[in-house]
Amino acid sequence: MSLRPILIHPDPRLKKVAEPVARVTPEIEALADDMLATMYDAPGIGLAAPQIGVLKRIFVMDATRDPEAERQPLVLINPEISWSSEDLNTYDEGCLSIPDQYGDVTRPAQVRMQWLGLDGKTHERDFDELWATCAQHELDHLNGILFIDHMSAIKRQMITRKMVKLKRERARG
Ligand SMILES: [Zn+2]
């Protein structure tokens, strides 16, 4: 298991549509392990494969926010939304690829998701509250969409300029 570097926006790999996973192989299992370790280390509540430069349809999440609570890691391969609620929820979202920037995003309050598990079986589950927001945010990553793409152009450009500056500073060391 190893920690993978997380790509910072803007990066062309964060704007690509990721490819479906054909089947669960030892490589996919190892990738999921690395993604969970990287997510918990960050720390974050979700991480999608494109964020570590792997253009495959897989994301991990654990939206249990209480640090005392038992971990509930989920690995979702080829996830799809089969139902979304009409009622909406607004969360102040953030992203490991856009550090220290937050903004309100409105999404369906509940979603039903289907995915392939590491066990090779199809799973289905309803998510609500932070889990629903996180699942939709991560699914967006597999389609090259960032949470700032749901915000106004002005706010998006402001955040993008900050990230360009941050990357320049980090490159200088
Ligand atoms: Zn994100």
Side-chain angles (χ1 to χ4, degrees):
M1 198 156 60
S2 56
L3 299 179
R4 308 278 196 104
I6 297 172
L7 300 181
I8 303 298
H9 165 73
D11 187 296
R13 289 167 286 182
L14 293 172
K15 302 303 296 175
K16 295 231 161 75
V17 176
E19 293 287 327
V21 173
R23 62 195 179 88
V24 180
T25 59
E27 288 74 27
I28 292 294
E29 288 173 30
L31 172 66
D33 278 351
D34 285 359
M35 286 173 63
L36 280 169
T38 303
M39 177 189 81
Y40 284 124
D41 178 73
I45 60 168
L47 183 73
Q51 292 181 275
I52 56 166
V54 177
L55 292 172
K56 291 188 194 304
R57 300 189 77 79
I58 172 167
F59 72 76
V60 298
M61 70 171 169
D62 182 350
T64 47
R65 275 184 298 184
D66 179 2
E68 305 288 304
E70 206 177 316
R71 283 179 172 180
Q72 294 183 50
L74 278 185
V75 178
L76 296 89
I77 302 166
N78 302 337
E80 278 176 39
I81 290 175
S82 55
W83 170 84
S84 333
S85 66
E86 276 176 33
D87 42 303
L88 306 171
N89 216 342
T90 301
Y91 261 103
D92 192 27
E93 293 191 23
C95 181
L96 293 176
S97 293
I98 310 175
D100 302 321
Q101 303 299 319
Y102 302 90
D104 280 351
V105 179
T106 300
R107 304 178 186 268
Q110 291 104 30
V111 291
R112 183 167 302 141
M113 222 173 236
Q114 283 184 343
W115 70 91
L116 177 69
L118 284 176
D119 56 6
K121 292 181 183 144
T122 302
H123 295 246
E124 185 179 73
R125 193 166 139 183
D126 287 1
F127 295 108
D128 64 3
E129 300 186 346
L130 186 58
W131 286 88
T133 289
C134 184
Q136 292 171 82
H137 174 121
E138 299 310 326
L139 181 58
D140 269 357
H141 272 302
L142 306 184
N143 295 319
I145 298 165
L146 301 171
F147 84 91
I148 55 171
D149 294 323
H150 294 283
M151 295 161 69
S152 72
I154 288 172
K155 191 107 196 261
R156 184 163 61 245
Q157 284 156 13
M158 196 185 75
I159 289 176
T160 299
R161 274 198 298 272
K162 282 186 187 162
M163 290 301 103
V164 169
K165 194 163 161 248
L166 174 75
K167 287 177 84 169
R168 227 174 12 230
E169 282 164 9
R170 284 190 181 181
R172 253 189 243 124

